[in-house]
Amino acid sequence: MSNERTIKIFDTTLRDGEQSPGASMNLPEKMEIAQALVDLGVDIIEAGFPIASPGDFEAVHEIASNIRGATICGLARCNERDIDRAWEALKTAKSPRIHVFLATSAIHREFKLKMTPDEIAARAIEGVSRAASYCDDVEFSPEDAARTEPDFLCRVVEEAIKAGATTVNIPDTVGYATPTHMGRVISDLVNRVPNIGDAVIAVHCHNDLGLAVANSLAAVEAGAGQIECTINGIGERAGNCALEEIVMAMRTRHDYYKVDTRINTERLVPTSRLVSSVTGMQVQRNKAIVGRNAFAHESGIHQDGMLKEPTTYEIMRPEDVGFAKTDLVLGKHSGRAALADRAKGLGYHLSGEQLQVVFEKFKELADKKKDIYDGDISALCEQQIRGSDLTKEWSLVSLEVSSGTKRQPNVKMTLKHAGEEHSAEVAEGDGPIDAAFWAVERITGVKLNCKDFQVRSATLGRDAQGTVTVDIEHEGSIFRGRGVSTDTVESTVLAILDAVNRICWKAAKPAAAT
Ligand code: KIV
Ligand code: ZN
């Protein structure tokens, strides 16, 4: 391909990423991530699917109104209601984009849509034209494109561009493609669609076969100019193309691909950590680029080589992706300014009030543990950015726990809700954690069907804070809660309450619009 192109990075963490089970985010969390994506340098932020629910609409609208520095995109099916609702949410953006999608593969046409190819082509034209009547920037996605007959795909893409699509996105919706296959799909469009030069070709690869990044690279080689991806690769099922991996692949192998992006790569690790803590989806240790072990060298031979010349075993420098040389940052005597600076470095944008609360908690923590690491600061900031409204939500007032090898656990707990305190004492369950679940259930009246429970240390050392993540099933949906404390039973209670508050928050919202 021609050399030195700049590939646009389209981030869909807030839309496709949020479709990962349990990864739903509330408004303050979405705003925080959107700002972090701007700092990272993404070109387009897909902020949500406005028709899907009032919460999605509000999030897209708030991001469109307040976040500057990237194009803000909203998703719509190919019908008037969806497109009108998307525009309503997006119209205050400085640079809005409507993303219209319609399935084109034979399987989807026959079984899902029950439409003929002619009907699909006509619907695509109608949808793109309507979106283009609102907005100059329109993206069209033939869903399941990788399994669509090539002739039909070329026809629909050509019609969509004629109707006003400025980007045509080629999704591998079910992660079926392989790199050679994906490269061919894109080359076919480049060679056979007469007006292809009037639009940017994008790719949107899912990771069901673990090939999303490889397929996206093949698409770039064949002429794609935009990649759709998510932080940490989160998304439907096995997820999407991981932003950090595709960006670093193109940068590290610039000699081969000869393409650039506008990503500030030193923001990759902080952004990954932010998304991980907000969604509760932990990043595996050996995850490329952002995993804890991505730059750790264990074998003696490797360590020896590294000491002699780092490039013997490292193809990227850890600092280029945002790993600090040491993450020991603050101690008991550190001041507010140092904390604010470190929080900013970690990607958190705290208001004056939030910073004050984090600072108070930081001082309390510094009394308990000597060294405060980045993980500790992230955990403290994370609790604040949820924007919780403690007058409406359940919060922990006090907790007493006793347990032992030969005795029944006992938990005494007081929670606060709407200004009133409620207490319970529970002497049941197979241990203090189980007893804590029973106590919260008894006080809040919310049935707690625990589907997953994980404890992880926020930092190193035996005085580390424990981060607990719980997945609670409620009326068919998973609600993830997180809690952090130096006491693991307390972190568990905080995590359960976080999930309970999310359940109550969802229940208080009007029903979905679709
Ligand atoms: O995977 C997919 O096909 C999608 C479309 C909406 C682009 O997410
Ligand atoms: Zn997708």
Side-chain angles (χ1 to χ4, degrees), residues 9-76:
I9 298 296
F10 175 113
D11 181 278
T12 182
T13 305
L14 296 174
R15 200 276 299 168
D16 218 326
E18 209 210 9
Q19 289 174 218
S20 317
S24 61
M25 303 168 221
N26 64 23
L27 183 58
E29 291 168 337
K30 288 186 178 179
M31 296 297 285
E32 185 72 22
I33 290 182
Q35 186 56 54
L37 292 172
V38 169
D39 297 348
L40 179 64
V42 309
D43 298 282
I44 303 115
I45 296 173
E46 187 161 53
F49 188 6
I51 196 92
S53 72
D56 256 53
F57 178 88
E58 191 188 6
V60 177
H61 184 61
E62 284 300 303
I63 291 172
S65 306
N66 297 297
I67 301 290
R68 295 290 176 257
T71 292
I72 309 299
C73 175
L75 184 67

Side-chain angles (χ1 to χ4, degrees), residues 403-414:
S403 66
T405 43
K406 289 204 170 77
R407 49 179 294 206
Q408 185 77 31
N410 188 284
V411 167
K412 279 191 206 163
M413 187 185 289
T414 300

Side-chain angles (χ1 to χ4, degrees), residues 162-196:
K162 260 193 222 153
T166 45
T167 300
V168 281
N169 176 40
I170 306 304
D172 179 20
T173 303
V174 291
Y176 175 74
T178 59
T180 317
H181 171 179
M182 201 65 196
R184 262 197 226 125
V185 173
I186 304 300
S187 306
D188 234 25
L189 295 173
V190 170
N191 296 327
R192 294 178 53 198
V193 174
N195 57 359
I196 197 72

Side-chain angles (χ1 to χ4, degrees), residues 15-16 173 204 206 236 240:
R15 200 276 299 168
D16 218 326
T173 303
H204 175 111
H206 278 271
E236 281 278 354
N240 289 59

Side-chain angles (χ1 to χ4, degrees), residues 320-349:
D320 290 345
V321 301
F323 276 112
K325 281 227 159 48
T326 162
D327 75 351
L328 170 58
V329 283
L330 302 172
K332 198 173 173 141
H333 302 293
S334 307
R336 249 172 78 108
L339 176 70
D341 186 57
R342 198 57 214 143
K344 199 158 165 245
L346 289 168
Y348 296 96
H349 299 83

Side-chain angles (χ1 to χ4, degrees), residues 36 76 94 100 118 137 140 163 230 244 260 266 274 285 317 388 424 441 490 492 494 508:
K94 189 143 186 273
V100 181
D118 285 346
D137 189 346
F140 174 71
T230 58
E244 59 282 359
D260 293 314
E266 340 61 79
L274 175 69
R285 277 176 183 258
R317 297 185 314 161
S388 59
E441 200 168 74
E490 187 178 326
T492 304
L494 295 172

Side-chain angles (χ1 to χ4, degrees), residues 257-271:
Y257 291 103
K258 304 235 177 329
V259 294
D260 293 314
T261 68
R262 294 193 188 84
I263 295 297
N264 305 315
T265 59
E266 340 61 79
R267 301 300 311 161
L268 288 171
V269 168
T271 315

